[in-house]
């Protein structure tokens, strides 16, 4: 086995990767069914894409099977597997788009198709497509369904339904899950946890579809927008996003479910299993996210009233809550072009998108848990200047947060800040204006979606050059995998024995 | 003494503060002499201001003397003293400006005068004045002389020349000095160190004056611009800054001395005393600063040539080196409006201003030493993801950097980032455009000076509202005192026994 050298990790993960790709192929049955049912003219794209994906998965599984099936998954293989899966799945996910748009008058380039698929799976919800209202329902549904799959985690789904992952499952789970204290969330029976998370996710999804339908959406739009809501994705089947509907009731439904999806699903699962709903309220991170999201919404409502952008208080509260919660929760729906609001508002919302969602939610960014730890750590450093010898450990939920967790949170912050600055600089080198470049990177890294100016809620990412598009796609991937676990693949240390 | 409660720290520091104010009054002899010598019509402003300052200092010293003189300086009094000194001295420093401008057709508001004095003392070098070329030489000299005093530290000067500070000196020194490893720089004989630093500073200053004079500047301009160069301050006696001279030789002199002043003066002092010039080269931080400054200058020169902004390589190298080193070293001189360069360049330079100077230099920002520690710490965190149990300590100059230093560096980064975001948000609330607000805050916090747009090298801070001016003045102060040691004054813990 010696000559294979650093290919060994690949041999170990490929059979599993193949199984995941095969599962992913089966998810295309959903848009295929919709396409056949509604006769929307896109039904030929899905069977071909599905067959191609399934065969590729089967080949990956079988070709390496003979070498790989006896090799046990090692500790760091989870990182490699997640990195490979998140780079490969958009490749398969964009095939239906390429096939559908190919023969039309506006064929999609591979760059744009991959971007759209990556934007979907990472729940970013930025789009390079225009004329969404004229697209077949099944194509729009596929875009939003990708978000729903990526939101809770396609690999978590794999852990839940593929018994073969067994031991390796926990490595996988850890590498894909987000937030500072991943170990704490792992139960001994990882498969049970993954099943539980997906069950809660599905229950909330059904409630959301029902809400949208009762509020007056068509059945198809209710499903499509539920996918985009629960995953905090924010894609839509309409160019004017949620503004298309003009349904106040649907906006309230969206506000409620965006708030619910901004919090830790594991918390809901535990509260449900143990029948202790009070657990939710007692969770410091849950309170932090809720307070920040709702408080910011009301604050912006006040600002809009004071600055005269809106005059009716009821409209102001609903509009501000919807758009602020949407951006801050990294969803990215909009009912108005909020970049025309006083300049403070859109930038405040952009900033919130980095900090407001909880670990274990479907949102991205720094995560409220890290913010809580950082604030407590900063306060501790201040105290240390005055009393250098005082010992006051950082605690969270009554437990002491150990040094190595604090270090890894601070390390995350460094890489997060460095990624935003670095990728913004790369976009500036292509002569993109500063606020467009900065907001595009922040919106991508936070998996939020719309930025400012050209890439704002009234524009989209279609105007970007191919190179700029790839930079944003990379930003989304880094954001979804929380940088470190992806970047570490490019360090020599990872490949050393 | 009990009823005095939390006034006690004030009683302990006031006598020393009085002495510092009295020393500061005497520094006004310099512009007064110039004014009398050149008969520039501003000679009445200085004696009045000097007398006022001296009397205030004497009153502070004597009034509290009877209560305070027997109270020994406590550990945290240094922080309070430095905070008070840096808030009070601009108050006295702006008196000559108020007196001179009062009877003219363009009287200066108190806000603007305080801003100008704070900008000078913190070596920021942002200005609210226009028509600098028409101002009396002594007024321009005073603005730039303030930078020179603030650059090496007026309190370090006080430690050097006031024997009475004795024991308290080291508290004071620690609170005013910058960089992550303040303790390491303290010798047992703090007075000797302070004297040594000021000696090196004065020697380099004389060399710089000579250089400017030989390059063709008038004697007065040579002194004025030396003050602004060695302190990395960047104020000028000309509206078009260094562009006024059109003297390539003077630009090269400026480049050399800005580079020298970007590095640790304590390092020069030690190399001089021990007669080991190789020590300078062996210092990791010195190499980091030099490499980043010169490398960035050459990189931008290449960019300007490639993008066609400049065509002559010799001019491109000189122009890019001068402007990049000037901005990155937080000086803020300019020979051209570099904001018309490709958009990458000005933002890259703005970013460099936060990281390129060394601890113990006259520059501000994060400091190279912290960056080195952060990069090593980030690398360690990456390694830890792969090998969770590996122990690889962060080292610097062969010594292990202990956890508490790393924590305080990371704490600094948090407060630094939080300050920039927070103050930018405050400026956005006043409807200032995003890039102006962001760059004004970054330029102020880094004590750099010019930002972008209205506050860019072709504009100045005169167009800001009073409130915006105060926000920028606060940003400068926070930057100069490295945030934490100032902010800590506003925590209840500081005032608790
Ligand atoms: K999103
Ligand atoms: K400066």
């Amino acid at each position: 086995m010696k000559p294979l050298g650093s290919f060994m990790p690949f041999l170990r993960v490929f059979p599993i990767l193949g199984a995941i790709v095969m599962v992913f192929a089966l998810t295309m049955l959903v848009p295929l069914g919709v396409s056949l049912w509604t006769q929307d003219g896109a039904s030929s794209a899905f069977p071909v894409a599905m067959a191609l994906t399934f065969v590729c998965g089967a080949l990956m599984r079988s070709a390496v099977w003979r070498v790989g099936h006896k090799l046990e998954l090692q500790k760091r293989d989870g990182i490699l597997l997640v990195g490979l899966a998140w780079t490969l799945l958009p490749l398969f996910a964009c095939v239906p788009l390429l096939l559908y748009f190919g023969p039309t008058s506006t064929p999609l380039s591979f760059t744009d198709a991959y971007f759209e698929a990556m934007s979907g799976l990472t729940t970013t919800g930025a789009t390079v497509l225009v004329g969404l209202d004229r697209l077949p329902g099944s194509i729009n549904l596929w875009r939003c369904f990708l978000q729903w799959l990526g939101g809770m985690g396609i690999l978590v789904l794999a852990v839940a339904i593929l018994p073969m992952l067994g031991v390796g499952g926990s490595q996988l789970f850890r590498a894909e899950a987000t937030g500072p204290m991943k170990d704490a969330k792992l139960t001994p029976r990882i498969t049970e946890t993954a099943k539980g998370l997906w069950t809660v996710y599905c229950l909330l999804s059904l409630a959301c579809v029902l809400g949208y339908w009762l509020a007056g959406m068509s059945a198809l739009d209710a499903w499509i927008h539920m996918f985009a809501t629960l995953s905090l994705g924010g894609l839509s089947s309409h160019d004017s996003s949620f503004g298309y509907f003009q349904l106040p009731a649907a906006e309230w439904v969206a506000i409620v479910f965006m708030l619910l999806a901004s919090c830790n699903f594991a918390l809901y699962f535990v509260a449900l299993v143990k029948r202790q709903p009070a657990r939710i309220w007692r969770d410091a991170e849950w309170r932090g996210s809720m307070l920040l999201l709702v408080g910011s919404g009301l604050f912006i409502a006040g600002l809009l009233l004071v600055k005269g952008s809106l005059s009716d208080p009821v409209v102001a509260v609903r509009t501000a809550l919807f758009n602020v919660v949407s951006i801050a929760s990294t969803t990215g729906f909009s009912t108005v072009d909020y970049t025309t609001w006083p300049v403070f508002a859109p930038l405040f919302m952009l900033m919130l998108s980095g900090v407001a969602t909880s670990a274990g939610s479907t949102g991205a960014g720094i995560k409220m848990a890290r913010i809580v730890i950082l604030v407590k750590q900063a306060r501790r450093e201040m105290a240390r200047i005055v009393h250098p010898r005082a010992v006051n450990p950082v605690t969270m939920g009554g437990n002491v947060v150990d040094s190595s967790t604090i270090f890894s949170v601070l390390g995350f912050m460094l890489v997060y800040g460095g990624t935003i600055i670095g990728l913004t600089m790369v976009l500036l080198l292509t002569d993109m204006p500063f606020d467009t470049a900065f907001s595009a990177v922040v919106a991508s890294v936070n998996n939020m979606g719309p930025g400012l100016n050209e890439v704002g809620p009234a524009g989209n990412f279609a105007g970007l050059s191919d190179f700029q598009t790839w930079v944003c796609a990379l930003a989304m991937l880094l954001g979804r995998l929380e940088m470190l676990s992806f970047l570490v693949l490019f360090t020599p240390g990872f490949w050393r024995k």
Side-chain angles (χ1 to χ4, degrees), chain A:
Chain A
M1 285 295 182
K2 199 83 195 173
L4 285 164
S6 52
F7 284 103
M8 287 299 290
F10 286 99
L11 295 181
R12 289 194 298 265
V13 304
F14 254 64
I16 299 178
L17 202 55
I20 291 168
V21 170
M22 285 159 80
V23 170
F24 185 67
L26 296 180
T27 64
M28 292 188 194
L29 285 170
V30 175
L32 174 61
V34 170
S35 182
L36 291 173
W37 181 272
T38 60
Q39 293 290 326
D40 62 5
S43 54
S44 66
F46 291 103
V48 178
M50 194 166 92
L52 183 76
T53 307
F54 197 87
V55 169
C56 285
L59 281 176
M60 285 162 69
R61 189 154 172 70
S62 63
V64 209
W65 183 248
R66 287 174 47 210
V67 202
H69 80 293
K70 288 255 174 70
L71 299 173
E72 223 170 80
L73 222 51
Q74 313 248 312
K75 210 141 196 216
R76 56 183 111 154
D77 289 343
I79 299 172
L80 179 65
L81 180 50
V82 169
L84 283 176
W86 279 89
T87 329
L88 272 183
L89 289 185
L91 207 62
F92 294 112
C94 76
V95 176
L97 300 178
L98 284 171
L99 289 175
Y100 169 74
F101 281 96
T104 67
S105 59
T106 53
L108 206 58
S109 73
F110 170 66
T111 299
D112 282 354
Y114 189 86
F115 175 93
E116 193 77 13
M118 180 65 91
S119 170
L121 278 167
T122 58
T123 76
T124 306
T127 186
V128 289
L129 301 176
V130 280
L132 300 175
D133 303 77
R134 291 188 306 276
L135 289 184
S138 59
I139 292 289
N140 274 327
L141 183 112
W142 177 236
R143 294 165 63 235
C144 296
F145 186 57
L146 285 177
Q147 303 198 314
W148 191 74
L149 290 173
M152 183 49 71
I154 181 91
L155 299 180
V156 175
L157 180 63
V159 172
I161 60 177
L162 296 179
M164 58 169 247
L165 287 175
V167 173
S170 75
Q171 307 306 330
L172 233 156
F173 194 92
R174 196 200 314 264
E176 195 187 46
T178 60
M181 296 193 286
K182 301 172 183 182
D183 295 320
K185 270 177 285 154
L186 297 175
T187 68
R189 287 165 306 171
I190 192 74
T191 315
E192 297 309 304
T193 306
K195 275 184 186 156
L197 290 176
W198 269 91
T199 309
V200 174
Y201 193 48
C202 289
L203 289 176
L204 282 175
S205 297
L206 288 175
C208 182
V209 171
L210 196 67
Y212 280 148
W213 186 68
L214 289 175
M217 281 192 195
S218 73
L220 186 63
D221 265 349
W223 279 96
I224 285 179
H225 288 84
M226 174 281 283
F227 289 144
T229 307
L230 255 289
S231 62
L232 300 175
L235 282 173
S236 172
S237 51
H238 303 288
D239 284 330
S240 49
S241 185
F242 238 76
Y244 167 87
F245 299 107
Q246 301 293 330
L247 290 171
E251 290 174 29
W252 282 111
V253 172
I255 292 170
V256 168
F257 283 95
M258 288 190 292
L259 286 173
L260 287 173
S262 300
C263 298
N264 192 342
F265 280 84
L267 184 67
Y268 299 144
F269 172 54
V270 172
L272 202 71
V273 170
K274 304 212 171 177
R275 290 163 209 258
Q276 296 173 335
R279 266 175 179 266
I280 297 175
W281 171 250
R282 281 204 307 270
D283 186 74
E285 195 184 13
W286 188 86
R287 287 203 309 271
S289 285
M290 281 296 154
L291 211 69
L292 190 59
L293 288 167
V294 177
S296 304
L298 296 176
F299 174 70
I300 295 292
L303 185 80
L304 293 178
L305 288 170
V306 168
K307 297 248 181 188
S309 305
L310 289 171
S311 53
D312 181 348
V314 175
V315 175
V317 166
R318 194 188 66 236
T319 308
L321 261 184
F322 180 89
N323 289 279
V324 171
V325 168
S326 165
I327 300 302
S329 68
T330 76
T331 312
F333 285 139
S334 56
T335 55
V336 294
D337 181 2
Y338 56 79
T339 56
T340 60
W341 290 353
V343 61
F344 173 84
L347 281 152
F348 181 62
M349 289 152 72
L350 193 66
M351 195 197 77
L352 286 178
S353 75
V355 300
T357 62
S358 293
S361 73
T362 54
I366 298 167
K367 302 281 168 0
M368 181 54 73
R370 288 202 181 85
I371 296 295
V372 172
I373 292 176
L374 288 174
V375 169
K376 289 185 175 176
Q377 170 65 13
R379 219 187 281 158
R380 180 203 203 182
E381 281 306 312
M382 301 271 270
R384 227 199 302 248
I385 291 180
V386 184
H387 308 281
R389 276 178 301 273
V391 179
N392 40 352
V394 170
T395 59
M396 192 149 163
N399 302 315
V400 171
V401 180
D402 62 11
S403 281
S404 78
T405 304
I406 297 177
F407 269 134
S408 86
V409 169
L410 291 163
F412 173 85
M413 290 303 294
L414 287 186
V415 180
Y416 178 83
T419 302
I420 287 177
I421 293 174
L423 293 180
T424 302
M425 287 291 154
V426 170
L427 287 183
L428 289 178
L429 267 179
T430 67
D431 294 326
M432 196 187 255
F434 172 59
D435 39 6
T436 310
F438 175 72
S439 64
V441 170
V442 172
S444 298
V445 166
N446 290 344
N447 295 164
M448 188 263 272
L452 304 172
N453 298 347
E454 292 112 277
V455 297
N460 70 16
F461 285 67
L464 269 52
S465 75
D466 274 6
F467 177 74
Q468 292 166 341
T469 308
W470 283 106
V471 171
C472 290
L474 174 66
M476 293 170 191
L477 183 64
L478 288 173
R480 178 61 181 83
L481 298 185
E482 301 210 320
M483 286 91 180
L484 284 176
S485 33
F486 186 74
L487 289 176
V488 83
L489 290 178
F490 299 93
T491 60
F494 184 85
W495 300 100
R496 229 174 279 137
K497 192 70 199 166

